[in-house]
Amino acid sequence: MSGALLAIRGLEVAYGHIAAVRGVDLEVGPGEFVSVIGANGAGKSSILKALVGVTPLARGSIAFAGQEIGGLPSHRISRLGLALAPEGRGIFRAQTVEENLLLGAYARLRAGDRAVAADVEWTLGLFPRLRERFRHSAGLLSGGEQQMLAIARALVSRPKLLAVDEVSLGLAPAILDQLFAVLSQLNREGLAILLVEQIASRALAVTNRTYVVEQGRITLSGPSRTLAADPRVIEAYLGAP
Ligand code: ATP
């Protein structure tokens, strides 16, 4: 796809002798909502970690907004407009909700961007629970609230692409409904989202396009609606009726 916001080509990631990602091609177009599904240990998180510069790539290229970002340090990738809400939330537990949000806007604050306060307000509108908890330590929040905070913190950097790792981890279905509703809303408003998700049914229901990862390789990809009806996906990830 020419004009892709994100284009990953031939990505390989290894941890010592363990090849976690073995030649992945993946694209996200402007305004697209794309998911990556696969079993535990398939390599989904490793793709995202390489994307945001947390894990080095062994091979391959990553173009974002027309620029090669493979191997760049995380803070430079973030400044280009790619934000990650990490698996396990990655929030600062001793800091308040407010402080966590401002840390997400750190680069903008340093650059003297005066719109940060309005964007913090915007995220509190998306997640009203965070407004109620604004001055509480993040460590005291519930799991669902911490996930909201991780997403809100990524959003205040005003990314062009939001990457979300395992939003569902350990959360109750009602909380997941809320979180996925907000992600869908953000996407309808034009934000491109790359969602790595273990609950395939959730991912397929909300996204436009999906990649299936097995043992570090993409084995299937296509419109989420098509994959949700594919017998191979149903058998492996959705559970036979
Ligand atoms: P999960 O849903 O459990 O996060 P995943 O699909 O995201 O799974 P990865 O976390 O990317 O998979 O892991 C891919 C492979 O790499 C697995 O075999 C895993 O054990 C291994 N791996 C991941 N991180 C490390 C690490 N830091 N050191 C060594 N091996 C790792």
Side-chain angles (χ1 to χ4, degrees):
M1 192 196 303
S2 64
L5 179 59
L6 173 72
I8 298 176
R9 295 272 175 267
L11 177 67
E12 294 181 20
V13 176
Y15 304 99
H17 294 301
I18 302 169
V21 180
R22 308 160 181 236
V24 158
D25 293 343
L26 183 154
E27 292 186 353
V28 180
E32 252 199 316
F33 196 171
V34 172
S35 62
V36 177
I37 62 172
N40 226 328
K44 306 181 298 297
S45 298
S46 298
I47 296 171
L48 279 197
K49 285 181 191 152
L51 182 60
V52 298
V54 174
T55 298
L57 35 162
R59 228 179 247 271
S61 68
I62 304 176
F64 178 68
Q67 185 173 335
E68 177 60 33
I69 61 164
L72 287 185
S74 297
H75 67 273
R76 289 197 45 203
I77 295 172
S78 149
R79 244 181 270 154
L80 292 170
L82 206 169
L84 172 70
E87 182 177 4
R89 337 289 187 220
I91 57 168
F92 299 100
R93 300 175 64 83
Q95 316 298 319
T96 65
V97 167
E98 177 181 22
E99 287 162 347
N100 269 276
L101 290 174
L102 291 176
L103 282 165
Y106 180 69
R108 293 179 62 195
L109 288 168
R110 274 196 61 179
D113 187 335
R114 287 159 178 269
V116 169
D119 286 337
V120 167
E121 189 55 35
W122 167 62
T123 63
L124 297 178
L126 291 169
F127 298 110
R129 289 292 292 165
L130 295 182
R131 189 190 300 284
E132 294 165 26
R133 305 287 195 167
F134 200 52
R135 311 234 182 259
H136 293 212
S137 296
L140 298 176
L141 302 182
S142 70
E145 290 163 351
Q146 289 186 6
Q147 184 63 77
M148 290 171 192
L149 179 56
I151 293 172
R153 192 186 56 184
L155 288 173
V156 291
S157 68
R158 274 289 183 187
K160 297 187 182 86
L161 175 67
L162 172 68
V164 187
D165 198 2
E166 301 282 8
V167 71
S168 68
L169 208 70
L171 300 183
I175 304 283
L176 289 185
D177 290 344
Q178 286 177 32
L179 287 165
F180 281 107
V182 170
L183 292 176
S184 293
Q185 179 190 337
L186 289 165
N187 176 251
R188 280 195 304 276
E189 291 168 0
L191 181 64
I193 303 177
L194 179 61
L195 178 78
V196 161
E197 180 53 59
Q198 216 172 336
I199 304 182
S201 55
R202 289 274 183 181
L204 291 166
V206 294
T207 57
N208 314 123
R209 228 155 39 76
T210 292
Y211 293 87
V212 179
V213 183
E214 288 171 14
Q215 296 178 6
R217 292 192 176 87
I218 306 284
T219 51
L220 280 172
S221 65
S224 302
R225 215 176 300 161
T226 310
L227 288 191
D230 187 313
R232 291 167 292 182
V233 175
I234 293 171
E235 191 188 342
Y237 301 106
L238 300 177

